[in-house]
Amino acid sequence: MIQPNARRTQAERSKASREKIILAATKFFAQNGFRATKLSEIAQAVEMSEPGLLHHFPSKNHLLIGVLEERDRLDQQRYVGVADGEDLPVVTSLRELVTHNEAVPGLVQLFTVLVAESITADHPGHDFFRKRYQNLREIGIELISKSQEKGEIRNDISAEDLIVMIFAMMDGLQIQWLLEPEKISMTKEFNLFLQFLTG
Amino acid sequence: MIQPNARRTQAERSKASREKIILAATKFFAQNGFRATKLSEIAQAVEMSEPGLLHHFPSKNHLLIGVLEERDRLDQQRYVGVADGEDLPVVTSLRELVTHNEAVPGLVQLFTVLVAESITADHPGHDFFRKRYQNLREIGIELISKSQEKGEIRNDISAEDLIVMIFAMMDGLQIQWLLEPEKISMTKEFNLFLQFLTG
DNA sequence: GTCTATACCCTGATAGAC
DNA sequence: GTCTATCAGGGTATAGAC
């Protein structure tokens, strides 16, 4: 006889394990990239054996996708949250986004390291990142267009082009910043860039 | 008795081997990154055994540094060549640089993939890229300053900030372009960005 | 769900002959 | 300078018990 209570408890415990694993994996992937990260170090971090870990994620690739989807979900919550606050100018929201990113270097590094690794076509994250950029660009174009109509942003350049430039500036600044955190200020340079957008 | 002629011939042959290896390694590093590249595939590409290859470069790390220095040397020749042609506006030179980069995707990918991989502190290319950016920024600041004095570029933003933004835009566009070459045009977006610089 | 044991493959690097 | 042979080590993933 199946006891609902016991079942829920077990399911919850399993979920907790998954999340603990994702959290630890996030840290190592961000620090060392995907290929250089060993299952053993993740397993050790969550105080579990390798097969124990592989019970939750059938392979290392699955684990990567799990990490990316989870992190992307959180990331996008904030991004879309930005979109909802339509009373704020987009420029202000972008400024806040970068400021926030500067506060969580680990997460930024995760995406910067992995997106670059995934440029190579055979990387397990390749499709994920292509779709991610496509998706983020689409959302961004909406926002920028509205903002242009309101006159907040210059309209002599198309929203399509602007959003590509905006993401490029973010990614590029992240690289220099991650290489020399003491020397490069993401927010400072990005805010200067934003001046360009208001014409 | 040492024969000068024979010695020179041998040294030349060795140099040819080195260059063949670097050429092949460049291709694989660009395609798959450093860590994912196996010595065996490079060795096979140059029709040599692994120990034969390791005779020229004592370790895989040495080979990476060899590749980076060689490619950087070529890259910088063009970059400094740009600096010398002082009659041309910097903006024009930058435009040409990016146009050239779009024509050699392999080389661009080499640096984009490797710089991102090397963000992790323990990567054998980490120091190389930090120094590279420092060096390129220094050269760039000189050029931008002069250009500002001549009134070609807006002077309400410091040359230090402008050069960081310029490299960021280049790197960021490269990422999106490498992920979707058919969809993103580096030159188009970069030229739009250059408009910002002339005020 | 988690473990122990282990299979299996690959990888960079070395020893030593030619 | 290049090879064959081989080492030492580490990596993911599976089998099967508890």
Side-chain angles (χ1 to χ4, degrees):
Chain A
M1 188 110 98
I2 296 166
Q3 295 175 315
N5 273 346
R7 263 174 70 205
R8 200 178 57 217
T9 304
Q10 198 177 19
E12 275 171 6
R13 205 172 291 144
S14 171
K15 189 154 168 284
S17 286
R18 267 186 71 96
E19 277 169 23
K20 249 175 68 182
I21 292 167
I22 283 185
L23 210 66
T26 299
K27 192 183 122 205
F28 286 108
F29 288 161
Q31 216 150 68
N32 305 325
F34 170 69
R35 296 198 248 238
T37 296
K38 295 170 275 190
L39 285 181
S40 58
E41 50 191 353
I42 302 173
Q44 195 184 353
V46 297
E47 288 168 317
M48 197 182 265
S49 67
E50 280 175 61
L53 190 157
L54 287 172
H55 170 74
H56 298 278
F57 299 89
S59 79
K60 196 187 170 191
N61 281 10
H62 284 84
L63 176 55
L64 173 66
I65 299 301
V67 166
L68 289 177
E69 283 175 352
E70 170 70 6
R71 290 294 126 185
D72 194 44
R73 202 175 54 75
L74 298 176
D75 224 44
Q76 221 159 116
Q77 267 176 14
R78 209 180 42 257
Y79 189 64
V80 174
V82 162
D84 284 346
E86 279 188 68
D87 35 344
L88 285 176
V90 170
V91 175
T92 305
S93 305
L94 286 172
R95 201 194 325 268
E96 280 173 13
L97 181 61
V98 172
T99 301
H100 176 269
N101 280 345
E102 199 164 55
V104 285
L107 207 55
V108 172
Q109 182 158 337
L110 177 76
F111 277 102
T112 305
V113 169
L114 291 184
V115 74
E117 212 181 359
S118 78
I119 285 172
T120 64
D122 63 319
H123 193 280
H126 187 74
D127 278 349
F128 173 88
F129 278 110
R130 274 183 45 173
K131 284 178 193 148
R132 180 170 189 259
Y133 274 103
Q134 281 170 9
N135 185 17
L136 290 182
R137 277 197 297 256
E138 268 176 43
I139 299 173
I141 287 169
E142 281 292 311
L143 291 174
I144 300 284
S145 298
K146 279 187 204 160
S147 192
Q148 282 177 321
E149 281 166 25
K150 281 192 262 179
E152 291 165 10
I153 289 187
R154 65 195 296 162
N155 62 4
D156 59 334
I157 299 180
S158 73
E160 284 80 4
D161 288 324
L162 284 177
I163 200 68
V164 171
M165 293 164 84
I166 289 169
F167 285 134
M169 183 57 67
M170 284 183 175
D171 289 342
L173 287 178
Q174 278 165 15
I175 289 175
Q176 291 185 64
W177 174 61
L178 288 171
L179 276 174
E180 294 180 277
E182 340 72 35
K183 212 167 189 170
I184 304 289
S185 163
M186 268 208 299
T187 53
K188 185 190 170 202
E189 310 297 346
F190 190 72
N191 288 345
L192 285 173
F193 172 69
L194 287 179
Q195 285 181 22
F196 296 156
L197 302 189
T198 54
Chain B
M1 188 113 96
I2 298 168
Q3 294 176 318
N5 273 345
R7 266 172 71 206
R8 199 178 58 215
T9 303
Q10 200 177 19
E12 276 171 6
R13 205 172 292 145
S14 171
K15 186 153 170 284
S17 285
R18 267 185 73 95
E19 278 170 22
K20 245 174 73 182
I21 293 167
I22 284 186
L23 210 66
T26 299
K27 192 184 122 205
F28 286 107
F29 288 161
Q31 216 148 67
N32 306 325
F34 170 69
R35 295 198 249 239
T37 296
K38 295 169 277 193
L39 283 181
S40 58
E41 49 191 354
I42 302 173
Q44 195 184 353
V46 298
E47 289 168 315
M48 197 183 264
S49 67
E50 278 176 63
L53 190 157
L54 287 172
H55 170 75
H56 298 277
F57 299 89
S59 80
K60 196 187 170 189
N61 282 10
H62 284 82
L63 176 54
L64 173 67
I65 300 301
V67 166
L68 289 176
E69 283 176 351
E70 170 70 8
R71 291 292 129 185
D72 195 44
R73 202 175 55 75
L74 298 177
D75 225 43
Q76 220 159 116
Q77 269 175 13
R78 209 177 44 255
Y79 190 64
V80 174
V82 162
D84 285 344
E86 278 187 69
D87 35 344
L88 285 175
V90 170
V91 175
T92 305
S93 305
L94 286 172
R95 200 193 324 269
E96 280 171 12
L97 182 61
V98 172
T99 302
H100 175 270
N101 280 346
E102 200 165 54
V104 285
L107 207 54
V108 173
Q109 182 155 339
L110 177 77
F111 277 101
T112 304
V113 168
L114 291 184
V115 73
E117 210 181 2
S118 78
I119 284 171
T120 64
D122 63 318
H123 193 281
H126 188 74
D127 278 350
F128 173 87
F129 278 109
R130 274 184 44 174
K131 283 180 195 146
R132 179 169 189 260
Y133 274 102
Q134 282 171 8
N135 185 19
L136 290 182
R137 278 197 297 255
E138 268 177 44
I139 299 174
I141 288 169
E142 282 292 312
L143 291 174
I144 300 285
S145 298
K146 279 188 204 158
S147 192
Q148 283 177 320
E149 282 166 24
K150 281 191 260 179
E152 291 165 7
I153 290 186
R154 64 196 294 162
N155 63 3
D156 59 335
I157 299 180
S158 75
E160 285 79 4
D161 288 325
L162 285 177
I163 200 68
V164 171
M165 293 164 84
I166 289 170
F167 285 134
M169 184 56 67
M170 283 182 176
D171 289 341
L173 287 178
Q174 278 164 14
I175 290 175
Q176 291 185 63
W177 173 62
L178 287 171
L179 276 174
E180 294 180 277
E182 341 71 36
K183 213 166 187 170
I184 304 289
S185 162
M186 270 209 297
T187 51
K188 184 189 171 201
E189 309 298 344
F190 190 72
N191 289 344
L192 284 173
F193 171 70
L194 287 179
Q195 286 180 23
F196 295 157
L197 301 190
T198 53

